[in-house]
């Protein structure tokens, strides 16, 4: 199974690329978010790869970041979402924004993505919320835990559950605190923090 490729970019188009590794050209399907970040043809590119094997096909899907690949893996476990639709979803929304959309239960934003109808959007909301919770529940809690009031601590915890790193979550919360009244509610603190992180 291929998990990572680094080589010369031979061809790139919005839906797939060819990457030359040691004289072998691998066709890799990529979301638009990855396509935009690729270097020019002829330069070295590196991608996190998911190898999708079925009875009749072997396909490679490539992502610039590990976070994007991880979100892709979550997406393809959702009932009714195959690799092509998962790539399509990540072409229409970044992994970080998708986390926020799931957290905020913003069905309309998902339905704006081509190929995502009402039923798929509902499944994504339900199943992804559970999967993202499972991921964060099994993570090792960071050593750095803010000792501020409960709204701050709850907002910090919620940002970690959304997948933000402790350092960036704390920085966003500090900035949000400066913009809001002293005893701002959890909802306001979280909303402002997410706006800063967006």
């Amino acid at each position: 199974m291929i998990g990572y490729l680094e080589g010369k970019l031979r061809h790139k188009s919005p839906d797939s690329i060819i990457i030359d590794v040691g004289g072998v050209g691998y066709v890799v399907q990529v979301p638009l978010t990855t396509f935009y970040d690729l270097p020019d043809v002829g330069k070295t590119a590196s991608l996190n790869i998911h190898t999708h094997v079925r009875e009749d096909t072997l396909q490679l899907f490539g992502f610039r970041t590990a976070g994007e690949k991880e979100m892709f893996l979550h997406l393809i476990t959702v009932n009714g979402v195959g690799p092509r639709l998962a790539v399509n979803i990540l072409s229409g929304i970044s992994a970080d924004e998708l986390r926020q959309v799931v957290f905020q239960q913003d069905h309309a934003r998902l339905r704006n993505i081509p190929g995502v109808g009402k039923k798929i959007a509902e499944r994504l909301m339900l199943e992804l919320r559970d999967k993202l919770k499972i991921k964060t529940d099994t993570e090792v809690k960071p050593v750095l835990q803010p000792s501020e009031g409960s709204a701050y601590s709850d907002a910090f915890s919620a940002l970690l559950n959304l997948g933000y790193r402790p350092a960036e979550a704390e920085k966003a919360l500090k900035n949000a605190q400066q913009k809001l009244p002293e005893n701002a509610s959890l909802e306001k603190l979280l909303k402002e923090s997410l706006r800063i992180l967006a």
Side-chain angles (χ1 to χ4, degrees), residues 1 4 6 8 11 14 16 39-40 43 58 92 106 108 114 122 124 126 130 137 153 155 158 163 170 178 183 197:
M1 185 171 297
Y4 182 83
E6 183 172 273
K8 190 177 285 187
H11 165 81
S16 69
D40 294 331
K43 296 196 172 171
L58 188 149
D106 185 356
E122 285 172 3
L124 285 167
L126 180 67
D130 293 343
D137 287 347
S153 301
E170 189 173 21
Q178 290 172 1
N183 292 323
L197 287 162

CSV table of all heavy atoms in Angstrom, one decimal, residues 1 4 6 8 11 14 16 39-40 43 58 92 106 108 114 122 124 126 130 137 153 155 158 163 170 178 183 197:
chain,number,residue,atom,x,y,z
A,1,MET,N,0.8,-1.2,0.0
A,1,MET,CA,0.0,0.0,0.0
A,1,MET,C,0.9,1.3,0.0
A,1,MET,O,1.9,1.3,0.7
A,1,MET,CB,-0.9,0.0,1.2
A,1,MET,CG,-1.9,1.1,1.2
A,1,MET,SD,-3.1,1.1,2.5
A,1,MET,CE,-4.0,-0.4,2.1
A,4,TYR,N,2.7,7.6,0.7
A,4,TYR,CA,3.3,8.9,0.5
A,4,TYR,C,4.1,8.8,-0.8
A,4,TYR,O,4.7,7.8,-1.1
A,4,TYR,CB,4.3,9.2,1.7
A,4,TYR,CG,5.0,10.5,1.5
A,4,TYR,CD1,4.4,11.7,2.0
A,4,TYR,CD2,6.3,10.6,1.0
A,4,TYR,CE1,5.0,12.9,1.9
A,4,TYR,CE2,6.9,11.8,0.9
A,4,TYR,CZ,6.3,13.0,1.4
A,4,TYR,OH,6.9,14.2,1.3
A,6,GLU,N,6.8,11.2,-3.4
A,6,GLU,CA,7.5,12.4,-3.7
A,6,GLU,C,8.3,12.2,-5.0
A,6,GLU,O,9.0,11.2,-5.2
A,6,GLU,CB,8.5,12.8,-2.6
A,6,GLU,CG,9.2,14.1,-2.8
A,6,GLU,CD,10.0,14.5,-1.6
A,6,GLU,OE1,9.5,15.1,-0.7
A,6,GLU,OE2,11.2,14.1,-1.5
A,8,LYS,N,8.9,14.1,-9.4
A,8,LYS,CA,8.7,15.2,-10.3
A,8,LYS,C,7.3,15.2,-10.8
A,8,LYS,O,6.7,14.2,-11.2
A,8,LYS,CB,9.7,15.0,-11.5
A,8,LYS,CG,9.7,16.2,-12.4
A,8,LYS,CD,10.8,16.1,-13.5
A,8,LYS,CE,12.2,16.2,-12.9
A,8,LYS,NZ,13.2,16.3,-13.9
A,11,HIS,N,2.5,16.0,-15.0
A,11,HIS,CA,1.2,16.5,-15.5
A,11,HIS,C,0.3,16.9,-14.4
A,11,HIS,O,0.3,16.3,-13.3
A,11,HIS,CB,0.5,15.4,-16.4
A,11,HIS,CG,-0.9,15.8,-16.7
A,11,HIS,ND1,-1.3,16.6,-17.7
A,11,HIS,CD2,-2.0,15.3,-16.1
A,11,HIS,CE1,-2.6,16.7,-17.8
A,11,HIS,NE2,-3.1,15.9,-16.8
A,14,PRO,N,-7.1,19.8,-12.9
A,14,PRO,CA,-7.9,19.9,-11.7
A,14,PRO,C,-8.3,18.6,-11.0
A,14,PRO,O,-8.6,18.6,-9.8
A,14,PRO,CB,-9.1,20.7,-12.1
A,14,PRO,CG,-8.6,21.5,-13.3
A,14,PRO,CD,-7.6,20.6,-14.0
A,16,SER,N,-6.7,15.3,-11.6
A,16,SER,CA,-5.7,14.3,-11.4
A,16,SER,C,-4.3,14.8,-11.8
A,16,SER,O,-4.2,15.8,-12.6
A,16,SER,CB,-6.0,13.0,-12.1
A,16,SER,OG,-5.9,13.2,-13.5
A,39,PRO,N,3.2,22.6,-7.1
A,39,PRO,CA,4.1,23.4,-7.8
A,39,PRO,C,3.9,23.3,-9.3
A,39,PRO,O,3.0,22.6,-9.7
A,39,PRO,CB,5.5,22.8,-7.4
A,39,PRO,CG,5.2,21.4,-7.1
A,39,PRO,CD,3.8,21.4,-6.5
A,40,ASP,N,4.7,24.0,-10.1
A,40,ASP,CA,4.6,23.9,-11.5
A,40,ASP,C,5.1,22.5,-12.0
A,40,ASP,O,5.9,21.9,-11.4
A,40,ASP,CB,5.4,25.0,-12.2
A,40,ASP,CG,4.9,26.4,-11.9
A,40,ASP,OD1,3.7,26.5,-11.7
A,40,ASP,OD2,5.7,27.4,-11.9
A,43,LYS,N,8.6,20.4,-11.5
A,43,LYS,CA,9.1,20.6,-10.1
A,43,LYS,C,8.8,19.4,-9.2
A,43,LYS,O,7.9,18.6,-9.5
A,43,LYS,CB,8.7,21.9,-9.5
A,43,LYS,CG,9.2,23.1,-10.3
A,43,LYS,CD,9.0,24.4,-9.5
A,43,LYS,CE,9.7,25.5,-10.3
A,43,LYS,NZ,9.5,26.8,-9.8
A,58,LEU,N,-7.4,-0.1,-8.8
A,58,LEU,CA,-6.5,0.4,-7.8
A,58,LEU,C,-6.3,1.9,-8.0
A,58,LEU,O,-5.8,2.3,-9.1
A,58,LEU,CB,-5.2,-0.3,-7.8
A,58,LEU,CG,-4.2,-0.1,-6.7
A,58,LEU,CD1,-3.4,-1.3,-6.4
A,58,LEU,CD2,-3.3,1.1,-7.0
A,92,GLY,N,-14.7,21.3,-2.6
A,92,GLY,CA,-15.7,22.4,-2.4
A,92,GLY,C,-15.5,23.1,-1.0
A,92,GLY,O,-16.1,24.1,-0.8
A,106,ASP,N,-24.3,23.2,9.9
A,106,ASP,CA,-24.7,24.1,8.8
A,106,ASP,C,-25.0,23.2,7.5
A,106,ASP,O,-24.1,23.1,6.6
A,106,ASP,CB,-23.5,25.1,8.5
A,106,ASP,CG,-23.9,26.1,7.5
A,106,ASP,OD1,-25.0,26.0,6.9
A,106,ASP,OD2,-23.0,27.0,7.3
A,108,ALA,N,-26.9,23.8,5.0
A,108,ALA,CA,-27.0,24.6,3.8
A,108,ALA,C,-25.6,24.7,3.1
A,108,ALA,O,-25.5,24.6,1.9
A,108,ALA,CB,-27.6,26.0,4.0
A,114,PRO,N,-21.4,20.5,-5.1
A,114,PRO,CA,-22.0,19.7,-6.1
A,114,PRO,C,-21.9,18.2,-5.8
A,114,PRO,O,-20.9,17.7,-5.3
A,114,PRO,CB,-21.1,20.0,-7.4
A,114,PRO,CG,-20.6,21.3,-7.1
A,114,PRO,CD,-20.4,21.4,-5.7
A,122,GLU,N,-27.2,15.2,5.5
A,122,GLU,CA,-27.7,14.8,6.8
A,122,GLU,C,-26.8,13.6,7.3
A,122,GLU,O,-26.4,13.6,8.5
A,122,GLU,CB,-29.2,14.3,6.7
A,122,GLU,CG,-30.1,15.5,6.6
A,122,GLU,CD,-31.6,15.1,6.4
A,122,GLU,OE1,-31.8,13.8,6.3
A,122,GLU,OE2,-32.4,15.9,6.2
A,124,LEU,N,-23.7,13.0,6.5
A,124,LEU,CA,-22.4,13.6,6.8
A,124,LEU,C,-22.4,14.3,8.2
A,124,LEU,O,-21.5,14.1,9.0
A,124,LEU,CB,-22.0,14.6,5.8
A,124,LEU,CG,-21.5,14.1,4.4
A,124,LEU,CD1,-21.4,15.2,3.4
A,124,LEU,CD2,-20.1,13.4,4.6
A,126,LEU,N,-24.4,13.8,10.7
A,126,LEU,CA,-24.6,12.8,11.8
A,126,LEU,C,-23.4,11.9,12.0
A,126,LEU,O,-22.8,11.9,13.1
A,126,LEU,CB,-25.8,11.9,11.5
A,126,LEU,CG,-26.1,10.8,12.5
A,126,LEU,CD1,-26.6,11.5,13.8
A,126,LEU,CD2,-27.2,9.9,12.0
A,130,ASP,N,-20.0,12.2,14.9
A,130,ASP,CA,-19.6,11.1,15.8
A,130,ASP,C,-18.1,10.7,15.6
A,130,ASP,O,-17.4,10.4,16.5
A,130,ASP,CB,-20.5,9.8,15.5
A,130,ASP,CG,-21.9,10.1,15.9
A,130,ASP,OD1,-22.2,11.0,16.7
A,130,ASP,OD2,-22.8,9.3,15.5
A,137,ASP,N,-11.9,12.1,21.5
A,137,ASP,CA,-12.0,11.5,22.8
A,137,ASP,C,-10.9,10.5,23.1
A,137,ASP,O,-10.5,10.3,24.2
A,137,ASP,CB,-13.3,10.7,22.9
A,137,ASP,CG,-14.5,11.6,23.0
A,137,ASP,OD1,-14.4,12.8,23.3
A,137,ASP,OD2,-15.7,11.0,22.8
A,153,SER,N,-12.4,27.6,29.5
A,153,SER,CA,-12.0,26.2,29.4
A,153,SER,C,-12.8,25.4,28.5
A,153,SER,O,-12.4,24.6,27.7
A,153,SER,CB,-12.0,25.6,30.8
A,153,SER,OG,-11.2,26.3,31.7
A,155,ALA,N,-14.6,26.6,25.9
A,155,ALA,CA,-14.3,27.0,24.6
A,155,ALA,C,-13.0,26.4,24.1
A,155,ALA,O,-12.9,25.9,22.9
A,155,ALA,CB,-14.3,28.5,24.5
A,158,ALA,N,-13.7,22.8,23.3
A,158,ALA,CA,-14.5,22.7,22.0
A,158,ALA,C,-13.6,22.9,20.8
A,158,ALA,O,-13.7,22.2,19.8
A,158,ALA,CB,-15.6,23.7,22.0
A,163,GLY,N,-10.4,20.0,16.3
A,163,GLY,CA,-9.1,19.6,15.6
A,163,GLY,C,-8.1,20.7,15.6
A,163,GLY,O,-7.0,20.5,15.0
A,170,GLU,N,-5.5,28.4,21.9
A,170,GLU,CA,-5.3,29.4,23.0
A,170,GLU,C,-5.1,30.8,22.4
A,170,GLU,O,-5.6,31.8,23.0
A,170,GLU,CB,-4.1,29.0,23.8
A,170,GLU,CG,-4.0,29.8,25.1
A,170,GLU,CD,-2.9,29.3,26.0
A,170,GLU,OE1,-2.0,28.6,25.6
A,170,GLU,OE2,-2.9,29.6,27.2
A,178,GLN,N,-10.0,39.7,24.1
A,178,GLN,CA,-9.7,41.1,24.0
A,178,GLN,C,-10.8,41.9,23.3
A,178,GLN,O,-11.0,43.1,23.6
A,178,GLN,CB,-8.3,41.3,23.3
A,178,GLN,CG,-7.1,40.9,24.1
A,178,GLN,CD,-5.8,40.9,23.3
A,178,GLN,OE1,-5.8,41.3,22.2
A,178,GLN,NE2,-4.8,40.4,24.0
A,183,ASN,N,-17.0,39.2,30.9
A,183,ASN,CA,-17.7,37.9,31.2
A,183,ASN,C,-18.5,37.4,30.0
A,183,ASN,O,-19.7,37.1,30.2
A,183,ASN,CB,-18.6,38.1,32.4
A,183,ASN,CG,-17.8,38.4,33.7
A,183,ASN,OD1,-16.7,37.8,33.9
A,183,ASN,ND2,-18.2,39.3,34.5
A,197,LEU,N,-10.1,32.1,13.7
A,197,LEU,CA,-9.4,31.0,13.1
A,197,LEU,C,-9.8,30.7,11.6
A,197,LEU,O,-9.0,30.1,10.9
A,197,LEU,CB,-9.7,29.7,13.9
A,197,LEU,CG,-9.1,29.6,15.3
A,197,LEU,CD1,-9.7,28.6,16.1
A,197,LEU,CD2,-7.6,29.3,15.1
